[in-house]
Amino acid sequence: MTQYWDKNFEPEDETFDEAVNKVDDVVKNSVKANTFADKGIKVGSFLSAGVDSRLVTALMLPDNTLSNGFDGTYHETKKESEIAVTNG
């Protein structure tokens, strides 16, 4: 096995609020850096009922959201539509 990287982790002396703000900034900057399209192309987000896709969609405020519904006893589409309507 080849090791491609080695992360040296040094814990920082910071408050809980400082750590939360740092994570918040990283997530927002990541979404912003990856939310783009060529001129005239609408931006969309794939939305599930999970916390991660809901957060990304809420931060993006995309032109469209996409999701899947499945046959069976569990459907995420109701939860998906709640966040889609909130943003749009």
Side-chain angles (χ1 to χ4, degrees), residues 6-21:
D6 184 22
K7 175 66 176 156
N8 294 322
F9 177 72
E10 297 291 330
E12 294 184 29
D13 186 22
E14 60 190 354
T15 67
F16 178 79
D17 288 340
E18 289 170 334
V20 168
N21 288 335

Side-chain angles (χ1 to χ4, degrees), residues 17-77:
D17 288 340
E18 289 170 334
V20 168
N21 288 335
K22 199 178 282 187
V23 169
D24 187 54
D25 288 343
V26 167
V27 171
K28 286 179 179 176
N29 288 334
S30 177
V31 170
K32 183 178 180 180
N34 290 285
T35 303
F36 60 88
D38 291 337
K39 185 176 180 180
I41 305 297
K42 292 184 177 185
V43 174
S45 173
F46 187 77
L47 181 61
S48 71
V51 174
D52 52 349
S53 71
R54 292 174 76 133
L55 175 60
V56 169
T57 300
L59 293 172
M60 281 179 66
L61 297 174
D63 297 309
N64 296 300
T65 56
L66 309 166
S67 60
N68 286 327
F70 300 96
D71 293 335
T73 58
Y74 180 70
H75 278 279
E76 294 183 338
T77 52

